[in-house]
Amino acid sequence: MPSAPIRSVTVFGAGTIGASWAALFAARGLDVRLYDRSAEALASGCKKAIRILTSWEDVYAPAAIERIHLCPDPDSALANAAFVQESVLEDYAVKRAAHETIERFAPADALVASSTSGLLASRMQESWTHPERFLIAHPFNPVHLIPLVELVGGPRTAAESLRKAHELYTALGKVPVTLNQEVPGHLANRLATAVWREAIDLVARGVASLEDVDKALCAGPGLRWAFMGQHLTYHLAGGPGGYRNFFEHLGPALEVYMADLARWDRVPEAAKREVLEQMDAHLAGRGVAELERWRDAKLVELAKHLYAHEPAELTTHEHVV
Ligand SMILES: NC(=O)c1ccc[n+]([C@@H]2O[C@H](COP(=O)([O-])OP(=O)(O)OC[C@H]3O[C@@H](n4cnc5c(N)ncnc54)[C@H](O)[C@@H]3O)[C@@H](O)[C@H]2O)c1
């Protein structure tokens, strides 16, 4: 028998990530029950969600804003919940307390996804009575603008829960990827960390300035990375012979670079000092808020181009999972 359509979601934790999830879900037509154990955080999370919705598109913002319901207690937030997006502080003890509350008040078959960036599903699942419906759904900040969500189950997560989550996030306009096993950093942050280590090392070795290292990424491979990953990029780099040809003919040259790449697993203090100094000089006083506005405007333009996330399309009302 097919499950009932999911029309509402409980966002549990209304900080940076919870507020953005709330805005995204409301924009996509879901009723949102927003809860935080701190009344102050709940109020400011709601304000942030409204700010996001208003900046997105004034025409449909009022309807989306009305779909966000502030819940002062976990009972009203979770009773009848079919889907919970947990977004509380990144700490095993805090997650455990939140998960116990979720299990106490939500129906036993509610799907529960944790936004955790770095905690393990297997460890979090230890405290669950019904661990089969629990998984990680790790978004990227800003959640409402970056489509990726990484789905990771623990050993006790049902395959059906991962499938349902995949279907649901897809219907909501996200781009889900599913890991077959848990690893620290999931997929995207591991890839980003590999690049980050080398980006620090190149600056610290004096190979190029911080500005030029960043520029080399953005004006070069970064342009393709928005729509084509490293494997497909190198398949095309192999010409008519594709990836096989690339491994055979270009692979050995890259192995020479590999032997010269940074290998440390703690950022050297001197390297950290150097990149921080160069970053201060590069920014020349420009603040984080100004840069965030610039980044978000660029992301909106890119998403429109690559994912056709026009406001008019943000109106899915039913998601059958
Ligand atoms: N900030 C990021 O860039 C980012 C990106 C992706 C994923 N995440 C993940 O999202 C989660 C939330 O991160 P954040 O940056 O939004 O944190 P945050 O500190 O901004 O917000 C966390 C919120 O959780 C609330 N909270 C704590 N315990 C609670 C409980 N028992 N019940 C209800 N509410 C509770 C706090 O009051 C706070 O408002 C973390 O697991 C983090 O790893 C963060």
Side-chain angles (χ1 to χ4, degrees):
M1 207 173 70
S3 327
I6 287 191
R7 295 193 181 87
S8 73
V9 54
T10 299
V11 176
F12 200 90
T16 307
I17 296 301
S20 304
W21 271 125
L24 177 90
F25 292 140
R28 296 292 198 271
L30 293 188
D31 269 322
V32 178
R33 300 190 166 275
L34 185 59
Y35 169 74
D36 199 290
R37 69 175 173 188
S38 143
E40 210 182 326
L42 183 60
S44 88
C46 179
K47 264 194 213 146
K48 181 178 172 188
I50 291 173
R51 212 167 41 240
I52 290 169
L53 287 168
T54 311
S55 73
W56 242 345
E57 171 67 324
D58 293 346
V59 176
Y60 83 108
I65 289 167
E66 275 175 27
R67 286 195 280 271
I68 299 179
H69 310 281
L70 297 193
C71 298
D73 57 79
D75 189 1
S76 61
L78 294 161
N80 308 317
F83 171 40
V84 181
Q85 184 76 47
E86 171 270 295
S87 303
V88 304
L89 211 72
E90 184 80 342
D91 176 271
Y92 278 112
V94 175
K95 295 283 190 200
R96 188 183 180 123
H99 295 168
E100 281 171 5
T101 306
I102 292 169
E103 280 225 289
R104 188 169 335 126
F105 292 109
D109 60 351
L111 192 63
V112 183
S114 173
S115 299
T116 180
S117 304
L119 307 182
L120 295 176
S122 54
R123 193 164 153 196
M124 288 191 284
Q125 255 179 345
E126 285 166 5
S127 64
W128 282 76
T129 308
H130 295 286
E132 66 283 351
R133 44 50 180 281
F134 173 76
L135 68 142
I136 290 171
H138 172 239
F140 274 73
N141 190 26
V143 176
H144 56 289
L145 296 178
I146 299 198
L148 179 64
V149 57
E150 298 177 308
L151 307 183
V152 195
R156 298 159 77 199
T157 304
E160 180 62 4
S161 299
L162 286 163
R163 188 199 62 74
K164 277 184 180 179
H166 195 285
E167 206 169 304
L168 179 61
Y169 289 112
T170 304
L172 293 170
K174 299 295 279 179
V175 175
V177 295
T178 305
L179 275 70
N180 299 322
Q181 56 178 270
E182 60 182 9
V183 283
H186 313 318
L187 294 183
N189 278 336
R190 287 177 80 94
L191 294 166
T193 302
V195 173
W196 185 50
R197 174 163 57 186
E198 190 55 24
I200 293 173
D201 207 58
L202 287 167
V203 175
R205 283 169 67 177
V207 174
S209 67
L210 172 138
E211 193 179 345
D212 276 356
V213 167
D214 267 8
K215 213 183 270 177
L217 266 189
C218 301
L223 211 54
R224 278 192 305 240
W225 281 344
F227 61 96
M228 195 160 100
Q230 200 56 47
H231 291 297
L232 187 56
T233 297
Y234 281 173
H235 173 67
L236 296 190
Y243 212 8
R244 275 184 185 73
N245 187 50
F246 183 88
F247 270 108
E248 221 166 286
H249 292 102
L250 297 166
L254 270 66
E255 281 167 357
V256 173
Y257 315 157
M258 278 181 202
D260 192 52
L261 294 178
R263 279 160 197 270
W264 38 260
D265 55 16
R266 295 194 77 116
V267 181
E269 273 308 312
K272 195 199 299 184
R273 264 197 311 277
E274 182 61 34
V275 295
L276 289 177
E277 265 172 33
Q278 289 203 30
M279 181 56 103
D280 287 343
H282 174 50
L283 292 177
R286 275 174 301 165
V288 169
E290 180 194 343
L291 288 167
E292 277 180 349
R293 280 195 297 278
W294 167 78
R295 174 199 65 190
D296 290 355
K298 292 273 185 207
L299 281 173
V300 167
E301 287 309 307
L302 263 180
K304 271 187 200 161
H305 188 66
L306 292 167
Y307 293 95
H309 281 172
E310 300 294 346
E313 294 174 35
L314 302 175
T315 52
T316 314
H317 289 290
E318 285 199 353
H319 309 288
V320 181
V321 296

